Amino acid sequence: MKNYFSIAKSTNSLYRDKCILKSGIPTKFSKMIPNGYLIFEDESFLDSTVAKMNALRKSGQFCDVRLQVCGHELMAHRAVLACCSPYLFEIFNSDNEPHGVSHVTFEDLDPEAVEILLNYAYTAQLKADKELVKEVYSAAKRFKMERVKQICGDYLLSKMDCQNAISFRNFASSMGDARVLAKVDAFIQDHLLEVSEQEDFLKLPRLKLEVMLEDNLTLPSNGKLYSKVLNWVQRSLWENGDQLERLMEEVQTLYYSPDHKLVDGGLVIEGHSEVFGGEEDHLQFVQKRPVRESTQRQMSCSSSGSLSPSNQAANTPKQTARREWKYIASEKTTNNTYLCLAVLDGVLCVIFLHGRSSPQTSPSATPCLMKSLSFEAQPEELEDQPLSPMHYARSGLGTAALNGKLIAAGGYNREECLRTVECYDPKEDRWSFIAPMRTPRARFQMAVLMGQLYVIGGSNGHSDELSCGERYDPHTDEWTQVPELRTNRCNAGVSSLNNKLYVVGGSDPCGQKGLKNCDAFDPVTKTWSNCASLNIRRHQAAVCELDGFMYVIGGAESWNCLNSVERYNPENNTWTMIAPMNVARRGAGVAVHAGKLFVVGGFDGSHALRCVEVYDPARNEWRMLGSMTTSRSNAGVAMLGETIYAVGGFDGNEFLNTVEVYNAETDEWNDCAKALTPLSD
């Protein structure tokens, strides 16, 4: 008997229906349209096909690649692996004999972990014993399988407890996983005393400090205290040529003076110290002895990797930042006794600190500055430590200044869009987390309106552009939804102007060309309205307000970068073309300082940019300024106090978590903490 169709005509003139097979089992069909096309989706076909392909792999049939993993040979199909692993795709794509059998060798991966990844590549199912998860993570990192890395990282975090927290941190640090590392550190901060009782913690190297105090003094709060301690250790390594291991061999005696300065206590008492000081909240360093010539040579050669005055100048900012110095957590265990976990020169260490009353021979204040000849022969001023980086590398993020702090929200790191939001305190040179956004998003801009932060549109990395927006209230530390845009919008400019929020330009839903759209949001009526359209289609433009006007700067029309600039007058709802920039750029940042526009970095169609230029509205002209220390496209740029900050972005090779600042008086960019301009209280 032949199969036959039972067809019923629907009310909308489209045909729906069932195909009744001889077995009597109905099979679902999609709509059939009158012109004769048939659309059918077989839900079981994909599962059946991948199962068969995996069976072929395991039997070695039709395989055209062999993975040699620590003496084990694993067969597979190039096309399947290339689709799942960007790393293997690059290898296969560069093969001079694409039709031959490829051999790829890995001597440092676990064969079982690689087999698990192969099964995942064919079945989309990740199955690993808990003992193998770290090995799977390591293999996924090599293969650049970011989704598997994330899943393994989340699994490890779910299994973390006080007993294994140090082990997990060491693993996350070795993998360079900032996301997992930040969560492990947050756990340790909440459970430091319990963690400190575990075997892994007890095996860590430790630095013992005895801090002498005047009778009427107490040690500062944990954060400020250990900021001073870390700086003291840095100076001991960099200026004196000490080794970290030597500092840990015996108890180090320090002195906390009445004017809140931390110095080498033993030498202060003996009267042999020379103190080189700064402001009240900054470290005071005591030079113990003239640096020997042999030590100077050792510092210059930097065989140990420690930074010094002589080799810092030769190091790029990126190289300097690789040596991690980080305060993680501390607890006051007894009266004037503290326990701290920190990273010193890349080494995870425990710091024990005990405060005690100083002998009567202790001075009542820090000795005055007296420069020795040996010190004057060295550079007059040491290069300061790098500004603290964000916990996450971020590109396409939203950035704004709020209540004297710098806010960095969302963005993407490789393929992952972020929800997390970080807050930078310039007084502490420290990043901390605030409430995450409700929606992961990147390629958006952020603005402050009536004391609250607004983010609108962007992309979540998994679907089309977003139309949703949200508002952050710093008083409640909460994000709430705001009415959606009428169209999805990605790479749009956002700015506040006259108590309204403006969204300008952006990408069309297909992401192929820029938009002319301009919309305004009224926070009182909670409604959107249309404004005059731009003269030129733009996406990834920099947008900001200055003296009652709104400026949209550069961007791209399709993929062609623009140097043109438009100015919006809200009084007559018109856009006017003004003088173009010297450099065409998209994905640039903009900040307002002293009545001028500072446009920073971006992408010129070929390269991420370091160059910066400033617009003077009184002259209607642009001029070039000093370049950044690092190329940055899609970075966050904001004005905080009298300082312009550039954070994150993409340098053409890596996603960045670094920070640098601009001093308008010297026309210089700097990535060191000493470059910060103090904020007035």
Side-chain angles (χ1 to χ4, degrees), residues 180-223:
V180 174
L181 202 57
K183 293 186 178 182
V184 174
D185 285 349
F187 177 88
I188 293 174
Q189 289 168 9
D190 293 337
H191 304 86
L192 180 60
L193 292 180
E194 296 93 327
V195 171
S196 69
E197 298 173 356
Q198 308 304 318
E199 184 177 358
D200 285 345
F201 189 93
L202 298 176
K203 291 179 180 179
L204 292 174
R206 56 200 59 215
L207 177 65
K208 298 178 182 179
L209 303 177
E210 192 86 7
V211 179
M212 297 181 296
L213 299 162
E214 294 296 324
D215 291 337
N216 59 342
L217 285 182
T218 58
L219 291 171
S221 61
N222 287 9

Side-chain angles (χ1 to χ4, degrees), residues 66 118 180-181 234 276-277 331 380 382 480 576 604 628:
R66 297 180 182 182
L118 293 184
V180 174
L181 202 57
Q234 285 179 325
F276 303 94
E331 286 285 350
E380 184 176 8
L382 283 176
T480 55
T576 304
D604 66 359
M628 292 186 289

Side-chain angles (χ1 to χ4, degrees), residues 404-636:
K405 307 288 177 64
L406 184 67
I407 309 297
Y412 56 90
N413 183 346
R414 297 188 183 276
E415 299 174 359
E416 180 185 17
C417 286
L418 304 172
R419 293 176 56 221
T420 55
V421 184
E422 301 188 44
C423 174
Y424 178 74
D425 185 342
K427 293 181 180 179
E428 298 285 342
D429 182 32
R430 183 180 179 185
W431 290 91
S432 59
F433 287 102
I434 60 175
M437 295 183 293
R438 301 165 66 95
T439 302
R441 68 180 78 217
R443 297 187 180 277
F444 68 99
Q445 293 181 16
M446 182 162 63
V448 177
L449 178 62
M450 297 182 179
Q452 297 186 327
L453 291 175
Y454 283 79
V455 298
I456 304 293
S459 171
N460 63 10
H462 301 293
S463 61
D464 294 334
E465 288 82 353
L466 302 171
S467 60
C468 62
E470 43 193 306
R471 178 184 67 232
Y472 175 75
D473 186 339
H475 300 293
T476 61
D477 189 31
E478 291 181 342
W479 291 87
T480 55
Q481 287 184 324
V482 298
E484 295 190 358
L485 287 163
R486 284 169 283 190
T487 57
N488 293 359
R489 200 86 65 88
C490 180
N491 291 319
V494 176
S495 177
S496 58
L497 176 66
N498 295 344
N499 292 328
K500 290 186 179 181
L501 189 75
Y502 287 80
V503 180
V504 185
S507 303
D508 71 326
C510 297
Q512 297 298 316
K513 61 182 180 180
L515 300 172
K516 291 186 176 182
N517 304 42
C518 179
D519 300 288
F521 176 72
D522 187 330
V524 178
T525 62
K526 294 182 172 54
T527 57
W528 289 94
S529 59
N530 291 330
C531 304
S533 297
L534 293 166
N535 292 292
I536 299 174
R537 297 179 181 273
R538 300 174 190 268
H539 65 97
Q540 291 193 59
V543 178
C544 70
E545 180 271 340
L546 173 61
D547 295 335
F549 295 95
M550 183 167 56
Y551 291 79
V552 57
I553 305 161
E557 192 167 2
S558 55
W559 294 111
N560 297 320
C561 294
L562 304 170
N563 68 344
S564 58
V565 183
E566 303 185 42
R567 180 171 61 198
Y568 177 72
N569 185 344
E571 297 296 328
N572 54 19
N573 190 31
T574 57
W575 289 94
T576 304
M577 303 298 296
I578 60 173
M581 292 185 291
N582 295 289
V583 178
R585 58 182 91 204
R586 60 180 170 89
V590 61
V592 175
H593 175 56
K596 298 178 182 178
L597 300 179
F598 291 74
V599 177
V600 179
F603 186 76
D604 66 359
S606 300
H607 305 94
L609 301 173
R610 294 173 54 225
C611 60
V612 180
E613 48 190 304
V614 61
Y615 174 74
D616 185 345
R619 296 173 176 268
N620 188 31
E621 65 181 21
W622 293 86
R623 64 182 176 88
M624 303 303 295
L625 297 175
S627 295
M628 292 186 289
T629 63
T630 303
S631 300
R632 298 177 189 266
S633 66
N634 293 308

Side-chain angles (χ1 to χ4, degrees), residues 391-405:
H391 294 90
Y392 289 88
R394 302 172 186 267
S395 183
L397 65 157
T399 312
L402 180 68
N403 300 333
K405 307 288 177 64

Side-chain angles (χ1 to χ4, degrees), residues 133-188:
V133 174
K134 288 183 179 180
E135 299 298 337
V136 174
Y137 180 107
S138 182
K141 179 185 179 184
R142 173 71 67 84
F143 290 168
K144 298 183 179 179
M145 298 172 70
E146 297 299 325
R147 182 60 174 163
V148 177
K149 270 182 54 182
Q150 180 183 348
I151 295 300
C152 290
D154 290 343
Y155 176 86
L156 291 173
L157 289 170
S158 72
K159 300 299 180 182
M160 183 171 58
D161 55 29
C162 294
Q163 187 172 355
N164 59 27
I166 297 298
S167 173
F168 278 14
R169 192 191 192 281
N170 288 334
F171 176 75
S173 179
S174 68
M175 293 292 105
D177 192 326
R179 181 183 72 91
V180 174
L181 202 57
K183 293 186 178 182
V184 174
D185 285 349
F187 177 88
I188 293 174

